[in-house]
Amino acid sequence: MINSAYKKSGVDVQAGYESVRLIREHVARTKIPGVMSELGDFAGAFKIANDYKNPVLISGTDGVGTKLKIAFAMNKHNTIGIDCVAMCVNDILCNGAKPIFFLDYLALGKNYPELVAEIVSGVCEGCVQAECALIGGETAEMPGFYPDGEYDLAGFAVGIAEQEDLLEISRVKSGDAIIALASSGVHSNGFSLVRKIVEGRTLDWHIQEFGKTLGEELLIPTRIYVREVLRNIKLVKSMAHITGGGFYENIPRCLPKNLVAKIERSRLRILPVFEFLQREGKVDASEMFGVFNMGVGMVLVVSPENVDEILRNIPAAYLLGEVSERERENESEGVVFC
């Protein structure tokens, strides 16, 4: 009878049980050494390996943002979870840490078990790509708060590193090289502007320069850089994840205050989607670089002698510029295009 009354209020407990059953096989894909808890436990447990001498835990949390509106419109929900994981683990990576576990929070107006399973399958795929475990989460059915068929998705990740291996921007000096790691697309930032630009246009519009529809292009999930960067972490001095705020906000975060990033504009490999958005939205170039990743999902700062090895080891990497001393007032923002 309690469940009957609760169901009449808009919350279906049985649907919650079915959601857990459907996601079980996806969560199992993410299990790695150290996981001690089981799906359904009140909290996730993870045992840190004994071979760490002076471990430091690094944490990060983020959401998907209004990119979710594109997923709703496309009725495609199996990739948005990758974005959620990527936004967290790529940030953790910037400290030189290896992600070890992830937790998600999914809030929706009505619990459709198949929808929940589709969303969580993407979260699990992101965890597999990041080589971390999904050890817990929460699905909150909130009738009257979210419209039927819509939801919000956020996550929380924890990584680990030896204290002496943490990246420190104090190691960066003038003359160091800035290497770009290509993005897969818009990733998961700037979608309020994206949605304004494409307002009134059908997402089924096939765009030749993309080789796919507009909706398919916009839903390409955020690239996860964990595997390729961690294999080369000893060669890296600092790095920046190019998220909200684009070049101008994020690149200076991996540099000492007295240094600037000099970016060679001719080296940039700007993706067609950004050229499309700039053209269709009549957006100034400086604003584009202050909102979007423009085809650069992450930058690495390395010593000049390590550039060739990084470029050999990471196929999506290319030389973008160099670190330089501040010389003029207009360099106060920390990024200069030349």
Side-chain angles (χ1 to χ4, degrees), residues 20 25 139 158 166 200 215 222 242 262 268 291 299 304 306 314 317:
V20 172
E25 63 178 292
T139 301
V158 171
L166 291 173
T222 305
I242 312 303
K262 290 200 170 180
L268 276 164
V291 175
V299 298
N306 292 328
I314 305 178

Side-chain angles (χ1 to χ4, degrees), residues 30-37 43-48 57-61 85 88-89 92 98-104 123 127 130-137 155-160:
T30 75
K31 193 165 186 178
I32 61 174
V35 176
M36 298 179 65
S37 52
F46 193 96
K47 181 177 175 60
I48 297 174
L57 297 179
I58 306 292
S59 61
T61 185
V85 175
C88 297
V89 298
I92 286 173
K98 171 182 171 52
I100 53 176
F101 62 79
F102 186 83
L103 295 93
D104 65 337
V123 174
C127 288
E131 299 182 338
C132 67
L134 179 62
I135 66 168
F156 173 85
V158 171
I160 190 169

Side-chain angles (χ1 to χ4, degrees), residues 193 245-249 265 278 282-292 294 333 335 337:
L193 178 55
F247 278 44
Y248 294 115
E249 182 176 330
R265 192 180 289 270
Q278 183 176 3
K282 299 179 174 59
V283 183
D284 184 78
S286 62
E287 185 170 6
M288 292 292 293
F289 281 97
V291 175
F292 300 114
M294 301 301 285
E333 69 276 12
V335 177
F337 288 94

Side-chain angles (χ1 to χ4, degrees), residues 46-320:
F46 193 96
K47 181 177 175 60
I48 297 174
N50 293 329
D51 53 355
Y52 283 95
K53 297 177 181 178
N54 196 16
V56 176
L57 297 179
I58 306 292
S59 61
T61 185
D62 211 334
V64 180
T66 62
K67 184 174 184 175
L68 289 170
K69 287 286 190 181
I70 307 297
F72 302 158
M74 294 285 289
N75 193 27
K76 180 176 172 57
H77 310 281
N78 65 337
T79 61
I80 210 76
I82 301 175
D83 289 288
C84 189
V85 175
M87 297 303 293
C88 297
V89 298
N90 285 344
D91 279 356
I92 286 173
L93 185 62
C94 290
N95 289 276
K98 171 182 171 52
I100 53 176
F101 62 79
F102 186 83
L103 295 93
D104 65 337
Y105 176 80
L106 174 62
L108 28 64
K110 182 174 176 56
N111 188 331
Y112 295 102
E114 292 78 11
L115 172 63
V116 171
E118 190 175 357
I119 296 165
V120 175
S121 73
V123 174
C124 293
E125 173 59 29
C127 288
V128 170
Q129 291 183 23
E131 299 182 338
C132 67
L134 179 62
I135 66 168
E138 169 69 7
T139 301
E141 190 172 13
M142 302 168 65
F145 195 88
Y146 293 98
D148 191 1
E150 294 195 3
Y151 55 87
D152 196 12
L153 179 65
F156 173 85
V158 171
I160 190 169
E162 292 283 7
Q163 184 170 341
E164 58 268 29
D165 292 337
L166 291 173
L167 300 185
E168 296 182 6
I169 63 173
S170 60
R171 298 169 53 205
V172 177
K173 62 183 181 181
S174 180
D176 283 341
I178 300 172
I179 291 181
L181 301 187
S183 70
S184 56
V186 183
H187 283 183
S188 194
N189 295 103
F191 270 85
S192 293
L193 178 55
V194 169
R195 289 167 43 243
K196 182 68 175 177
I197 292 171
V198 304
E199 189 175 20
R201 296 169 171 84
T202 174
L203 295 175
D204 292 333
W205 177 18
H206 190 277
I207 300 177
Q208 187 173 358
E209 57 194 298
F210 299 166
K212 55 178 70 69
T213 68
L214 175 59
E216 288 169 340
E217 177 66 32
L218 295 178
L219 274 188
I220 293 174
T222 305
R223 184 172 180 179
I224 293 175
Y225 298 95
V226 170
R227 288 174 179 166
E228 53 198 353
V229 171
L230 285 180
R231 291 192 194 103
N232 297 278
I233 198 66
K234 297 295 185 183
L235 304 175
V236 178
K237 289 187 173 183
S238 72
M239 67 181 84
H241 183 200
I242 312 303
T243 56
F247 278 44
Y248 294 115
E249 182 176 330
N250 292 291
I251 294 179
R253 295 165 69 181
C254 72
L255 302 175
K257 298 296 184 183
N258 64 313
L259 301 177
V260 297
K262 290 200 170 180
I263 305 298
E264 294 188 42
R265 192 180 289 270
S266 62
R267 292 182 178 271
L268 276 164
R269 301 174 186 177
I270 298 175
L271 296 175
V273 65
F274 298 110
E275 296 171 341
F276 169 87
L277 291 171
Q278 183 176 3
R279 181 178 67 247
E280 295 293 317
K282 299 179 174 59
V283 183
D284 184 78
S286 62
E287 185 170 6
M288 292 292 293
F289 281 97
V291 175
F292 300 114
N293 68 63
M294 301 301 285
V296 180
M298 185 165 279
V299 298
L300 311 180
V301 179
V302 306
S303 297
E305 61 267 22
N306 292 328
V307 169
D308 288 343
E309 187 171 354
I310 289 283
L311 298 184
R312 285 195 304 270
N313 294 346
I314 305 178
Y318 62 93
L319 184 62
L320 186 60

